[in-house]
Structures are given as structure tokens and as C-alpha cells.
Amino acid sequence: MAKPFQEGVGWAFRIRIRGEALYRSGFKSKTEAARAMDALKAERCAAPAQSGRGAHRTSVGVAFSDYARERLPYLKGASQDVRRINRYLRALRLPVIELAPVTLVKEGKRVYWDVTFVEEPVRVIPASLTAHRHRLGKESAQSDRARKQLAGTMMADVTTHHVQALINALRAEGKKSATIHLERSELRRLFKHASAVWKWRRLGGNPAGAELDMPAVEAGRDRVVTNEEWQKVSVHLAAYPNPYAAPLACLMLETAMRSCEPLVHLRWGDIDWRQRVLTLQDAKAGGRKVPLGPGALHVLSQLKKYAPTPPLPDDKVFPTTYEAVKKAWAVSCRKAGLTDVGLHDLRHTSATRFALEFEGNLPVLMVITGHKTAQMAMRYVNIQATQVATMMHKEPLPVAHTAAGYEMGVTAAMDAALEARAHASLETPKGPRSLEPEAPVGAEGLGGARVAEITSAPRPAAGARSGTIIPVDFRRRAA
């Protein structure tokens, strides 16, 4: 029978329970060690059997591998978890996670990913990036050391102090509070899974729980693109060689959709022109219906009008990539002199505009944005105090400085660019197709009078069409 024994100036014990060898030390007396041994024996014998090797023989890094294999296939946003988990696997030189998208139902649950583990190849860093990589490595050296120590620690031995050391390192390196909270959340989910699914027991609870000293959560984004700013950037966006950049941005302003929803999920067969809604079969929060106002219908009509052939129901409405559109937006903003504005800010802009147009009707706004809770919907409504003061005095809001789309159309520059591209294609002499990228149509090519006409144009009517329908190779991609 196992008994406590003296070890140095303290007492310790070794015991085997259900085939698992356990060792504890650091007790001040033999009596204290005996009580701890009896409590551990009672807890382990009364509790359900544990899966795997147990918390005392599994490190955090290895536990993350098992957690990823069991949990990530069912998480739609697992690609973000993979980036964080792989840092712990790299610290122990373990195979890293790779995801492959799948669509199936397994045991009544939707499966999104096939999870595999691969040996990460050695990265060959170009000479031009050596200094940049060295700087990045130096900036994250402190958190990398803390993460490596945590990854190699047995799950049963991890305390709040270990996790706090990583949190403090991230704060010292100047990481944003959202990044730090996401790191803590990943660890918290791992220990919760170990307790609830694997039945691994801990005397101290979840070490990534509420006891940690965490930085305050930063305020959410409140950047709204005004009508005046949109007039400037829309001309450059429409002039960009990628012909899908401007229509996508216009559709985001007219529907408050996320950029990924029309880019990834929208097909021509999803649009119900009679009911004036489009159905997203799959989105961030699941499938939903998006109401289409006159401006949104006009954008989709223009895309269909200038397609080289009638699109099939399964064809993508936007056959381009997020990276290409993001680059187009960044270049256009730089040329227009806009700062601190991202593509996702168009969703904030649209939600704010519709909140003003529908006078704060929250149920209507939630149908437009697709949010499940009022709290999340209100995070995207960014009405300024000066605008509220203007409304209090029964004065009209200054349209130029209000959210883009409020009492003004957003598609004038896009319409002009599509028409100009169509005419340019018509005038091109027939012959072998050139492999050179299509010349962009910019503000300077339209003339000053034409630019003034674009920026002051009213909102188009639903399904409005102008000019002759001219087939144009609209599916050509550009960077």
C-alpha cells in the first residue's frame, strides 16, 4: 500500500490509480501528504474513467493536437483556431494542422473541415525578407518563449501563473487586446474540453479562466465612410482593373453584407428577382435571406447586363478573390486620400445608413444585417453625437458627411466604368485576344465634367438600365 515518504525537507507520495502513476510532493507534514493522497484516491475512484493518457502524462501541445482532431472539423471558423494552435505545435516540433474544406453530416452534426497533420516544410526566406523576418522574430521572442514553456508543461501542472506569464509577454510586446483575449480563449476551450469530454480532473479549475489579469477589451470599430468620402474613393475603385471590386463594394453598401458572403457563397440562382431577396445558403451565422433594395437590385442587374453570356444558376456572382478585392480597396483609398478605413467598414457604414433611414427600427435592421442579437446589431450602428444633436433640433442631416448611401446613390462611378469598358471592348478591332490586362478607366479618362456628374448622381431606380446591352468579357480577373 502506498504511503507518504519524506523527500528533502518535505513529504511526497506515489500512487497508481486505474493504471495511472501519480506523484505529488511539497507537503509540509506526513499527515498533510496522507490527506492529499486519500482525497486524490477518492476523487479518481468515484469519477468516470479518463480518456487518453490523462492530464499528468499529456503536455499542452499534445493535448492541442488531440483537441484539434476532435473539435475543429465541426467549427466553421476553424481556420483562425489553426493559426493559434499551430504555434504551440511548432514550439514542440510537432506536425502542424492542415484543413481541407468538406461538406457532410456526421452523426447528426455538420462537418466543415477534414483535419490532417503534416510535417511543416522548412521555410526558404528570400534575402529581401531576411531583415523583416528577423525583426518580427525579435518582436515576438518573449511570447514565443512563454508559449514554448507552456506547450511542454503537462496539463495537470499548468497553473494560472503559467498562462499569466504568456499574457504578460504578449502585453509587453504591444499586442492588441483582442489578440490577447483570443489566445486566452483558445487555452480556455482546450482545458474545458479536457474536463468535459476527456474527464480530466484538476484541483485548481481552468487555469485560463476568470482569475487572469487581462487587458481591457478595446472599443469596437466605429469608422463610417461618408458620402463625400465615397464619392472620392468610388471613382478610383471603379477605375481599378479588377471589374468586380466596385460592384462588390456597392453591393455591400446596399445590403450591409459581409464581403465573404457575396464573394464565397452567392450564386446567380440564389437571387429571387420577383421577391427581391437573395438567399445565402451558408454564411457566418448560417443561411439567411437578404432583402434587396433598389440600389442592390441595380448592382446585380448591371452585373448580369454586362456579362458576356447569360449566367447559369450555379455561376458565382463575383468570380474573384478576397485578396484581389482587398488590394483594390487599399489602392483606391490611398489614391483618394482616405485613411484608417477597411473593407469591413462598409458594413458599419451600411448599418448606420439603414438605422437612419428606418429611424432606428431594430427588428428591420437585424433582418438587413443578419445579426441574431440586438447587441451585435447595435455594434455596427455608429451614429455620432453631432448627428443626434442635429436631429434634436429638427434640422436635416448634412448629406455629404452622413453614411454613404444616405439620400445619395452609390453606383454612379461603377455604372460609368462598366459602360466605358463595354464601349472600349466594342471598339477593339477583332483579332487574336490580347493577354495584356485591360486598361483601367480612371477619373482622368472620364473628364472633369463627367466626374462631377458621377459624384452628384441620385440613387438609381430598381433594375434601371442605360445604354445598349453590349457583351463584354466581364469575367477576366485582375490583380
Side-chain angles (χ1 to χ4, degrees), residues 354-368 378:
F354 284 121
L356 293 171
E357 289 184 352
F358 290 101
E359 298 181 348
N361 191 324
L362 189 57
V364 170
L365 185 63
M366 291 174 64
V367 171
I368 295 173
M378 291 306 298

Side-chain angles (χ1 to χ4, degrees), residues 235 239 420 440-448 450-451 454:
V235 175
V441 181
E444 61 279 2
L446 298 175
R450 183 57 174 158
V451 172
I454 291 171

Side-chain angles (χ1 to χ4, degrees), residues 1 5 17 22 35 64 92 110 112 170 192 213 220 224 235 237 271 280 335 348 357 361 377 381-382 410 412 425 437:
M1 181 178 177
F5 57 88
I17 303 175
L22 304 175
R35 288 175 179 172
F64 259 133
L92 299 183
R110 172 73 181 274
Y112 296 97
L170 292 170
K192 182 179 179 180
D213 178 21
V224 170
V235 175
L237 195 62
I271 302 171
L280 294 173
K335 290 182 177 180
H348 288 259
E357 289 184 352
N361 191 324
V381 178
N382 308 122
V410 299
S425 176

Side-chain angles (χ1 to χ4, degrees), residues 8-92:
V9 296
W11 289 79
F13 66 84
R14 297 181 187 275
I15 189 172
R16 180 176 292 274
I17 303 175
R18 290 181 171 176
E20 182 179 0
L22 304 175
Y23 165 75
R24 298 289 187 274
S25 64
F27 300 100
K28 296 180 180 179
S29 65
K30 181 179 180 180
T31 302
E32 182 180 347
R35 288 175 179 172
M37 185 174 62
D38 292 340
L40 184 61
K41 186 188 304 182
E43 177 192 2
R44 294 299 179 93
C45 292
Q50 303 183 62
S51 64
R53 294 170 56 85
H56 292 275
R57 294 189 292 175
T58 306
S59 67
V60 171
V62 173
F64 259 133
S65 294
D66 297 335
Y67 167 80
R69 188 178 292 105
E70 295 179 12
R71 187 75 187 98
L72 295 191
Y74 306 100
L75 299 181
K76 182 180 293 186
S79 56
Q80 300 183 28
D81 297 80
V82 166
R83 287 193 291 270
R84 289 185 288 271
I85 294 175
N86 275 344
R87 296 192 186 106
Y88 291 86
L89 304 186
R90 291 190 188 100
L92 299 183

Side-chain angles (χ1 to χ4, degrees), residues 222-250:
D222 59 357
R223 182 68 163 89
V224 170
V225 180
T226 65
N227 274 313
E228 184 178 46
E229 291 175 325
W230 175 252
Q231 290 171 9
K232 296 176 181 178
V233 73
S234 63
V235 175
H236 297 287
L237 195 62
Y240 196 81
N242 187 335
Y244 295 101
L248 177 68
C250 290

